[in-house]
Amino acid sequence: RDSLNNNRNRMVSFFETTIRSLGGLLAAYDWSGDEVFLEKAHDLGNRLFKAVDTNPLGIPYGQVNLATGAVHNIPWTGDNSITAEFGTIQIEFRMLARLTGNKQFKEKTENIFKIMKEMNPPHGLYPYFVTNTGSQPQFANDKLTFGAMGDSFYEYMLKVWLQGGRTEPMYREMYDHSIQGMHDELLQVSSPS
């Protein structure tokens, strides 16, 4: 508790560190009320946020160095960002914004969903690679999945809507559109079933 040091000079997964470490610290603070957990969460959140804040296109990089703030995409992705990863950080950063008063955490991570909505894929089905370099974000493949690399993006549409007290219709509309698209375009019935 008193010796946690986030100043690590190594690249970490922005997504994994956000949902596990930052989310864990925020949960520990929520349950205990112990300010040390919020202090550590705020420090870690600031370090992780470089993956969001340094990309002018608004789609985060996949990795960040916690000590230097250096960022880049995960090498095996072909310099793309993974939909399930950048679309699965909003709950943690929205809570961190509420607890610290830093509205940028909330606004910039919510903007990711606005960007994705504007990209408007057919049937609300989002390919799992997005180019976050160049002049504008764009889909980098046409692979659709509700499994690995896509799954939690769809989950967070609903979870963020719920976290916001069911008052932010964009998230629910995106979710409903995507689920309808899954039923219309991806669901198949075998025969005999």
Side-chain angles (χ1 to χ4, degrees), residues 82-85 122 124-129 141-155 157 178-179 181-182 185-186:
I82 301 170
T83 303
E85 293 193 357
L125 301 174
Y126 293 81
Y128 61 74
F129 280 152
N141 68 351
D142 60 0
K143 305 288 189 266
L144 304 173
T145 180
F146 277 72
M149 299 196 297
D151 55 353
S152 54
F153 176 66
Y154 300 102
E155 292 170 22
M157 291 173 186
S178 295
I179 296 304
M182 177 185 66
E185 301 298 318
L186 301 179

Side-chain angles (χ1 to χ4, degrees), residues 107-128:
E107 292 167 357
K108 289 197 174 187
T109 57
E110 287 178 342
N111 190 51
I112 294 164
F113 272 93
K114 292 175 185 167
I115 291 167
M116 295 301 284
K117 183 175 174 71
E118 289 172 8
M119 292 174 74
N120 195 26
H123 311 288
L125 301 174
Y126 293 81
Y128 61 74

Side-chain angles (χ1 to χ4, degrees), residues 87-187:
T88 310
I89 48 125
Q90 289 71 21
I91 289 174
E92 293 80 6
F93 278 101
R94 284 164 49 119
M95 183 172 184
L96 188 61
R98 182 174 55 80
L99 295 172
T100 65
N102 182 343
K103 294 179 182 179
Q104 290 292 304
F105 292 143
K106 179 181 188 289
E107 292 167 357
K108 289 197 174 187
T109 57
E110 287 178 342
N111 190 51
I112 294 164
F113 272 93
K114 292 175 185 167
I115 291 167
M116 295 301 284
K117 183 175 174 71
E118 289 172 8
M119 292 174 74
N120 195 26
H123 311 288
L125 301 174
Y126 293 81
Y128 61 74
F129 280 152
V130 173
T131 301
N132 61 351
T133 58
S135 61
Q136 66 182 26
Q138 56 188 350
F139 297 118
N141 68 351
D142 60 0
K143 305 288 189 266
L144 304 173
T145 180
F146 277 72
M149 299 196 297
D151 55 353
S152 54
F153 176 66
Y154 300 102
E155 292 170 22
Y156 264 51
M157 291 173 186
L158 190 59
K159 289 177 180 178
V160 171
W161 177 70
L162 290 169
Q163 182 191 42
R166 302 176 184 190
T167 62
E168 300 162 295
M170 178 186 74
Y171 301 105
R172 182 60 195 253
E173 290 165 5
M174 289 176 73
Y175 177 80
D176 289 343
H177 186 53
S178 295
I179 296 304
Q180 189 62 52
M182 177 185 66
H183 284 281
D184 293 347
E185 301 298 318
L186 301 179
L187 183 66

Side-chain angles (χ1 to χ4, degrees), residues 10-72:
R10 58 180 279 199
M11 298 304 285
V12 300
S13 166
F14 170 60
F15 160 70
E16 295 289 350
T17 309
T18 297
I19 66 167
R20 300 189 197 298
S21 299
L22 180 59
L25 288 166
L26 290 168
Y29 172 71
D30 189 49
W31 293 335
S32 71
D34 189 333
E35 290 291 325
V36 73
F37 294 116
L38 180 56
E39 291 167 16
K40 296 296 184 180
H42 195 189
D43 175 61
L44 180 58
N46 278 325
R47 294 170 188 277
L48 289 168
F49 200 63
K50 300 272 195 272
V52 178
D53 206 31
T54 58
N55 190 309
L57 301 183
I59 301 292
Y61 295 101
Q63 294 186 317
V64 61
N65 183 306
L66 295 178
T68 68
V71 294
H72 62 74

